[in-house]
Amino acid sequence: MAESNALPLVLLAEQFARLPGIGMKSAQRLAYHVMSMSDSEAQEFAHAIINVHKTVHLCSCCQNYTDRELCPVCADNRRDHKTVCVVESPKDISAFERTKEYKGVYHVLHGLISPIDGVSPDKLKIKELLSRISRDSVEEVIMATNPTVEGEATAMYISKLLKPLGVKVTRLAFGLPIGGMLEYADEITLYKALENRNEI
Amino acid sequence: MAESNALPLVLLAEQFARLPGIGMKSAQRLAYHVMSMSDSEAQEFAHAIINVHKTVHLCSCCQNYTDRELCPVCADNRRDHKTVCVVESPKDISAFERTKEYKGVYHVLHGLISPIDGVSPDKLKIKELLSRISRDSVEEVIMATNPTVEGEATAMYISKLLKPLGVKVTRLAFGLPIGGMLEYADEITLYKALENRNEI
């Protein structure tokens, strides 16, 4: 933003520009939009940001974001706790829940193995996954990482750790377009990928 | 966001989705991004939003946003205070300042006359513009509203009010693509439009 702008507006635009997918011009637009909000709307927005950090943490079982001890999926006795779908990030869970067809539970890795980005297996929630296997007598683990190089590598790495434990390990069917992002898949494609999962 | 998500995250995503140009999927992505920030980064973001509302108000002269009594442009004695460029909104000023060629001052209308949207002339900062004309012995008013139906109508309306005051009223040259948005024009196009302005 040009020097002609009030400093607090410039600072707010810079905050928006740090968000993924928002460039400096969009950020400036958003800062002006916040300025045009009522005081109470701005307060509500700011409060929502702080509140997320105050109240949301990881589910002690599946590592998804939750504001309770257990997330709604893990706390639901009607779900099949012997089938665990392993995903890269919490937003992937929303994608599966939209299919309304998956009745098992989830496990969030919070990343994928990526030596280039310095993400080694010990930085992911793999330890927590392994401890669930015996504790909950898990029968099947569905590797539902994105069909990318890192997603494939992570799925292979984890399946090798799980095989000795006698658990069935499956992989989503490649109905998904390779290189694409799981969170943008439509419900039917995602459901087909679940249905045609193969043992690895 | 699906029910599987923590309520504070859903509420934050809804806040983002209210911003212009951000759909529900992008909003969800942004909410997750905020979750991945450090506590202090989130605090800083929330503070920037509240701070804008606490400290930024309208410049008592040109009606641009500022955190002082007069904005930096109005307070600058090296600027030509006898030439006033009338724009729809504060973001248009940033666009002009980027050309680095305009040495006059500005006046922000905070909207355009639009009977369909219920915006009548008295809702714009036209009264404030008229009182500046005689007080500051303004010699030229450049109508720099967007080249849209509302922008044209507003320019014509104001020029009719200004003519009896003996002030020269000019309009930006139409180097700008009709129907486009002023804030996205490149510096050269905008400078050409300034240079070739015509009396109306």
Side-chain angles (χ1 to χ4, degrees):
Chain A
M1 270 165 116
E3 281 169 30
S4 62
N5 276 300
L7 184 63
L9 268 169
V10 176
L11 294 178
L12 179 57
E14 282 170 0
Q15 289 289 335
F16 277 120
R18 281 184 202 167
L19 299 176
I22 296 184
M24 203 53 212
K25 276 204 172 173
S26 297
Q28 187 178 337
R29 235 187 141 86
L30 295 175
Y32 281 123
H33 180 83
V34 168
M35 189 62 216
S36 73
M37 287 176 171
S38 71
D39 270 358
S40 65
E41 283 170 333
Q43 289 276 357
E44 214 180 303
F45 187 11
H47 178 74
I49 290 169
I50 290 177
N51 202 37
V52 151
H53 267 254
K54 260 194 202 147
T55 61
V56 178
H57 48 81
L58 301 186
C59 168
S60 62
C61 181
C62 76
Q63 315 296 318
N64 187 13
Y65 292 136
T66 181
D67 52 351
R68 281 164 274 184
E69 167 63 20
L70 281 178
C71 76
V73 173
C74 287
D76 188 346
N77 287 327
R78 291 164 304 176
R79 307 280 305 215
D80 169 15
H81 288 255
K82 302 211 176 301
T83 305
V84 176
C85 180
V86 176
V87 294
E88 176 189 349
S89 66
K91 56 181 172 279
D92 298 327
I93 294 184
S94 307
F96 276 106
E97 289 298 288
R98 281 196 296 271
T99 71
K100 295 188 174 61
E101 295 290 344
Y102 181 65
K103 302 300 178 202
V105 292
Y106 299 95
H107 191 85
V108 184
L109 295 173
H110 288 279
L112 292 174
I113 298 168
S114 173
I116 291 172
D117 300 322
V119 183
S120 54
D122 59 290
K123 291 198 177 139
L124 307 180
K125 304 289 184 186
I126 296 175
K127 206 166 61 249
E128 290 81 355
L129 174 63
L130 296 178
S131 72
R132 279 177 80 178
I133 303 298
S134 48
R135 191 187 64 214
D136 302 342
S137 329
V138 173
E139 288 166 2
E140 179 178 358
V141 172
I142 306 169
M143 295 306 309
T145 48
N146 278 315
T148 57
V149 175
E150 289 84 5
E152 281 298 307
T154 307
M156 291 311 295
Y157 178 88
I158 294 177
S159 73
K160 276 181 192 157
L161 292 178
L162 293 175
K163 287 273 178 71
L165 304 177
V167 65
K168 184 177 169 186
V169 185
T170 55
R171 180 88 175 99
L172 285 185
F174 284 118
L176 298 170
I178 304 294
M181 287 295 157
L182 210 151
E183 62 175 314
Y184 292 114
D186 65 274
E187 282 82 331
I188 297 162
T189 307
L190 207 50
Y191 175 48
K192 285 290 168 206
L194 254 176
E195 204 178 29
N196 300 323
R197 63 186 186 265
N198 302 304
E199 192 159 353
I200 45 178
Chain B
M1 269 165 117
E3 283 169 27
S4 61
N5 277 300
L7 184 63
L9 267 168
V10 177
L11 294 177
L12 180 57
E14 282 170 2
Q15 289 289 335
F16 277 120
R18 280 184 203 166
L19 299 175
I22 295 185
M24 203 54 212
K25 275 203 172 172
S26 297
Q28 187 179 335
R29 234 187 142 86
L30 294 175
Y32 280 124
H33 181 83
V34 168
M35 190 63 214
S36 71
M37 287 175 171
S38 71
D39 269 359
S40 66
E41 283 171 333
Q43 289 277 356
E44 213 180 303
F45 188 11
H47 179 73
I49 291 169
I50 290 177
N51 202 38
V52 151
H53 267 255
K54 261 194 201 144
T55 61
V56 179
H57 48 81
L58 301 186
C59 167
S60 62
C61 181
C62 76
Q63 315 296 319
N64 188 13
Y65 292 136
T66 181
D67 52 351
R68 281 165 273 185
E69 167 65 20
L70 281 178
C71 75
V73 174
C74 286
D76 188 347
N77 286 329
R78 290 163 305 176
R79 307 280 304 216
D80 169 16
H81 288 256
K82 303 211 177 299
T83 306
V84 176
C85 180
V86 176
V87 294
E88 176 188 347
S89 66
K91 56 181 172 280
D92 299 328
I93 293 183
S94 308
F96 276 105
E97 289 299 287
R98 280 196 297 271
T99 72
K100 295 188 172 62
E101 294 291 344
Y102 180 65
K103 303 300 178 202
V105 292
Y106 299 95
H107 190 85
V108 183
L109 296 173
H110 288 278
L112 292 175
I113 299 169
S114 172
I116 290 173
D117 300 323
V119 183
S120 53
D122 58 292
K123 291 199 175 138
L124 306 181
K125 304 291 185 186
I126 296 175
K127 206 166 60 250
E128 290 80 356
L129 173 64
L130 296 178
S131 71
R132 280 177 77 177
I133 303 298
S134 47
R135 190 187 65 213
D136 302 341
S137 328
V138 172
E139 289 167 1
E140 178 178 358
V141 173
I142 305 169
M143 294 307 309
T145 49
N146 278 317
T148 57
V149 174
E150 290 84 4
E152 282 298 308
T154 307
M156 290 312 295
Y157 179 88
I158 294 176
S159 73
K160 276 181 191 156
L161 292 179
L162 293 175
K163 288 269 179 72
L165 305 177
V167 63
K168 183 177 170 189
V169 185
T170 55
R171 179 87 175 101
L172 285 186
F174 285 117
L176 297 170
I178 303 294
M181 287 296 155
L182 210 152
E183 63 174 313
Y184 291 115
D186 65 273
E187 282 81 330
I188 298 160
T189 306
L190 207 51
Y191 176 49
K192 285 291 167 206
L194 254 176
E195 203 177 30
N196 299 323
R197 63 187 187 264
N198 302 302
E199 191 159 354
I200 45 178

